[in-house]
C-alpha cells in the first residue's frame, strides 16, 4: 500500500493506493468526525460491479448508508443529475457533516464532488476512484464540476476530498478503451515530471498492457505524488497547476467536436499531447525524439495518434471557447524538455491551425 500526502494546511489529505482498500475506507469513516449518515454516488456499471462489496465493507463504518447511481458517461455531469443528488441528500436528511462518497471514474467523482461542494455550502467528500484516469488524475486536487451546453466543466468549484482510496484491483474490470484512456494521462504526467519516466513506461509496456498491479501501484503513486506537489503549490491554478493541462487545449476541442462520444477524454488527450509537443518543438526548443517516444508509447497502448473523425475548421473555432482563453488569447502549455514545462500565451494562430490540421488528418 502506498500513501501520498496532499499538503494543503488544514485541508491536507491522504491518497492511498493499493489492493483491497474498501475496509480501510470504512475504518476512515468510522474514525472521522462525521455525522451518522453517508451517501454513496456511483454510476450504473460501477454499481453493478462494486456497490455490493463496497456497501458491505462500509457497514463497518457504523454510518447509515444510502446510494444513488447515475447514468454512465458525461451526460451525468449535469445540473439535472446534481439536482437528483441534492434530492436524495435532502430525503435522507444528510447534514453538513454527512460525507458524500464518490465510487467510480472521473464522472461520478466530478459530479459527487460538485454536489458535495454546494450542498449546505459544503459537505465532506471522499473519493474511491475505480478508473485509471480517476486514480492518476481526476480524484486528486479538488477540481469538481458539471458540464454546460456551452462547454465541459463550465460550472464547478474547488472542493478537496477528505481522502482518496484508489483500489488497484478495480482496474482489472475496466474496459480496454477506458484503461488506455487513463494511460494517456499517465504519459502526460511522465512528460511533465521527466526523470526518466518515459523510459520507465517504455521498458514496462508489456506489464502495463497486462495490468500488472505492482507496476500500476508504482504508476498511480508516482502520478499522484507529482499532482499532489503541483496542487500543494497552486491549488487554484494561478500558476504551475496550468502545467497539468499539457495537451488539453487541443484535447478539449477534439472531445467537444466529437460530441464526447467519438473520442474518450484520454484519446483526445493522446492526440492533443502530440499537438502540444509539435508546438513545443517549434516554440520551446523541444527535441524531436520526445514526440517520437510519446508516439511509440501511445501506439503501444492502443491510443490514437490522430483524430480524423472531427472537422479541422470547426475544431479550430472551438479551440477559442477554451476556459483557459484570456482576452481572446489561448494559453498553451509547452515542454522545453521532459520535466520542464512552461506556459506561453498567444501562439501564432497559423501555426496552431497547421498543427491542428496535421492532428486531424485520417490516421
Ligand atoms: P467515467 O467515470 O465515465 O468512466 C468511464 C467508464 O468506465 C464508465 O462507463 C464507467 O461506468 C466505467 N467504469 C468505471 N470504473 C470501472 C471499473 N472498475 N470496471 C469497469 N468499468 C468501470 O470516465 P473517466 O475516464 O474515469 O473520467 C472522465 C471524466 O473525468 C471526465 O468528465 C473528465 O472531465 C473528468 N476529469 C476530471 C479531472 C479533475 O481534475 N477533476 C481530471 C481529469 C478528468
Ligand atoms: N486535471 C487538471 C487539474 O486537476 O488541474
Amino acid at each position: 500500500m502506498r500513501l501520498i500526502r496532499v499538503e494543503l494546511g488544514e485541508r491536507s489529505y491522504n491518497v492511498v493506493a493499493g489492493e483491497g482498500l474498501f475496509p480501510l475506507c470504512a475504518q476512515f469513516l468510522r474514525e472521522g468526525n462525521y455525522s451518522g449518515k453517508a451517501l454513496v454516488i456511483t454510476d450504473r456499471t460501477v454499481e453493478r460491479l462494486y456497490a455490493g462489496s463496497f456497501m458491505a465493507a462500509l457497514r463497518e463504518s457504523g454510518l447509515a448508508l444510502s446510494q444513488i447511481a447515475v447514468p454512465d458517461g458525461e451526460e451525468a455531469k449535469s445540473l439535472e443529475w446534481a439536482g437528483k443528488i441534492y434530492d436524495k441528500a435532502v430525503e435522507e436528511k444528510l447534514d453538513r457533516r454527512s460525507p458524500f462518497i464518490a465510487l467510480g471514474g472521473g464522472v461520478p467523482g466530478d459530479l459527487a464532488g460538485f454536489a458535495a461542494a454546494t450542498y449546505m455550502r459544503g459537505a465532506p467528500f471522499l473519493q474511491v476512484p475505480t478508473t485509471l484516469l480517476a486514480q492518476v488524475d481526476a480524484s486528486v486536487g479538488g477540481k469538481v464540476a458539471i458540464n454546460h451546453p456551452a462547454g465541459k466543466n463550465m460550472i464547478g468549484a474547488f472542493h478537496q476530498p477528505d481522502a482518496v482510496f484508489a483500489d488497484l484491483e478495480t482496474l482489472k474490470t475496466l474496459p480496454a478503451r477506458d484503461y488506455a484512456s487513463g494511460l494517456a494521462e499517465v504519459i502526460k504526467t511522465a512528460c511533465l515530471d521527466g526523470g526518466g519516466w518515459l523510459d520507465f513506461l517504455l521498458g514496462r509496456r508489456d506489464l502495463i498492457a497486462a495490468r500488472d498491479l505492482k507496476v500500476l501501484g508504482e504508476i498511480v503513486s508516482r502520478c499522484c505524488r507529482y499532482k499532489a506537489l503541483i496542487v500543494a503549490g497552486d491549488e487554484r491554478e494561478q500558476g504551475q497547476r496550468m502545467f497539468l493541462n499539457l495537451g488539453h487545449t487541443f484535447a478539449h476541442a477534439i472531445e467537444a467536436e466529437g460530441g464526447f462520444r467519438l473520442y474518450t477524454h484520454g484519446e483526445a488527450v493522446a492526440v492533443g499531447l502530440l499537438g502540444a509537443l509539435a508546438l513545443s518543438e517549434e516554440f520551446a526548443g523541444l527535441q524531436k525524439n520526445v514526440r517520437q517516444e510519446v508516439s511509440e508509447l501511445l501506439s503501444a497502448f492502443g491510443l490514437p495518434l490522430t483524430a480524423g473523425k472531427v472537422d479541422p475548421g470547426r475544431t479550430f473555432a472551438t479551440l477559442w471557447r477554451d476556459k483557459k482563453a484570456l482576452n481572446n488569447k489561448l494559453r498553451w502549455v509547452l515542454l522545453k524538455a521532459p520535466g520542464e514545462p512552461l506556459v506561453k500565451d498567444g501562439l501564432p494562430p497559423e501555426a496552431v491551425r497547421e498543427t491542428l490540421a496535421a492532428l486531424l488528418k485520417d490516421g
Side-chain angles (χ1 to χ4, degrees):
M1 198 170 71
R2 294 155 195 268
L3 206 84
I4 301 101
R5 185 88 177 147
V6 185
E7 292 288 354
L8 287 165
E10 281 179 353
R11 290 171 298 111
S12 297
Y13 58 95
N14 288 332
V15 179
V16 189
E19 296 164 44
L21 295 186
F22 293 173
L24 199 65
C25 180
Q27 187 186 339
F28 178 87
L29 286 165
R30 192 174 59 240
E31 292 170 359
N33 173 28
Y34 299 115
S35 61
K37 295 179 177 184
L39 176 59
V40 174
I41 297 116
T42 187
D43 71 23
R44 287 174 189 154
T45 296
V46 180
E47 178 181 50
R48 184 170 48 75
L49 290 168
Y50 295 108
S53 55
F54 188 64
M55 299 307 263
L58 245 53
R59 271 189 221 116
E60 291 298 312
S61 69
L63 303 181
L65 303 170
S66 45
Q67 80 184 65
I68 179 167
V70 304
D72 286 18
E74 283 296 319
E75 68 168 290
K77 280 176 58 173
S78 63
L79 264 183
E80 183 196 349
W81 278 98
K84 290 184 184 178
I85 294 173
Y86 300 139
D87 292 346
K88 184 78 178 168
V90 170
E91 184 189 314
E92 298 290 339
K93 300 191 170 50
L94 265 66
D95 62 31
R96 284 192 170 153
R97 289 307 306 159
S98 306
F100 285 45
I101 305 166
L103 172 71
V107 164
D110 280 9
L111 172 67
F114 175 77
T118 43
Y119 183 69
M120 294 193 175
R121 297 203 183 90
F125 163 51
L126 263 68
Q127 289 267 24
V128 186
T130 64
T131 64
L132 182 60
L133 189 138
Q135 294 191 358
V136 298
D137 186 357
S139 64
V140 180
K143 277 190 182 176
V144 296
I146 55 172
N147 300 326
H148 183 274
K152 202 171 133 82
N153 298 331
M154 288 281 274
I155 319 289
F158 289 93
H159 188 58
Q160 299 292 341
D162 287 0
V164 179
F165 294 95
D167 193 325
L168 303 168
E169 276 176 337
T170 59
L171 301 180
K172 289 280 185 192
T173 54
L174 204 55
R177 203 172 165 201
D178 292 297
Y179 183 64
S181 203
L183 288 170
E185 294 283 7
V186 172
I187 297 168
K188 174 206 78 177
T189 306
C191 289
L192 291 172
D193 199 7
W197 248 104
L198 288 171
D199 290 340
F200 172 92
L201 296 174
L202 276 167
R204 286 159 187 78
R205 67 181 103 176
D206 292 343
L207 287 171
I208 296 169
R211 305 190 193 189
D212 177 88
L213 292 188
K214 190 162 172 286
V215 176
L216 282 172
E218 227 166 308
I219 287 174
V220 170
S221 61
R222 209 163 158 174
C223 286
C224 290
R225 200 167 307 123
Y226 179 78
K227 186 161 180 182
L229 273 176
I230 292 279
V231 169
D234 176 26
E235 184 184 8
R236 301 246 159 185
E237 199 167 309
Q238 300 301 305
Q240 65 176 12
R241 188 163 182 169
M242 287 177 212
F243 295 159
L244 300 177
N245 295 322
L246 180 68
H248 283 60
T249 305
F250 284 131
H252 283 153
I254 291 168
E255 227 185 330
E257 275 311 302
F260 301 102
R261 285 181 316 278
L262 294 183
Y263 298 101
T264 64
H265 179 69
E267 286 166 351
V269 167
V271 176
L273 183 57
L274 290 176
L277 297 184
L279 288 175
S280 301
E281 288 166 9
E282 203 173 343
F283 296 102
L286 180 72
Q287 303 250 324
K288 286 190 188 307
N289 67 312
V290 178
R291 186 152 54 115
Q292 190 50 44
E293 275 186 59
V294 167
S295 302
E296 221 178 293
L297 271 172
L298 296 172
S299 303
F301 298 141
L303 284 157
L305 307 184
T306 57
K309 292 182 217 158
V310 293
D311 176 73
R314 287 172 51 118
T315 311
F316 184 73
T318 300
L319 270 181
W320 265 262
R321 294 204 292 272
D322 194 285
K323 283 198 301 312
K324 295 178 288 303
L326 286 180
N327 301 325
N328 225 15
K329 277 192 176 164
L330 278 178
R331 182 154 267 194
W332 293 93
V333 183
L334 303 180
L335 210 60
K336 217 165 136 190
E340 291 183 56
L342 58 109
V343 174
K344 250 196 163 80
D345 284 342
L347 295 182
E350 265 326 295
V352 173
R353 191 192 288 277
E354 274 171 33
T355 303
L356 185 66
L359 292 178
L360 302 191
K361 68 180 192 311
D362 284 325

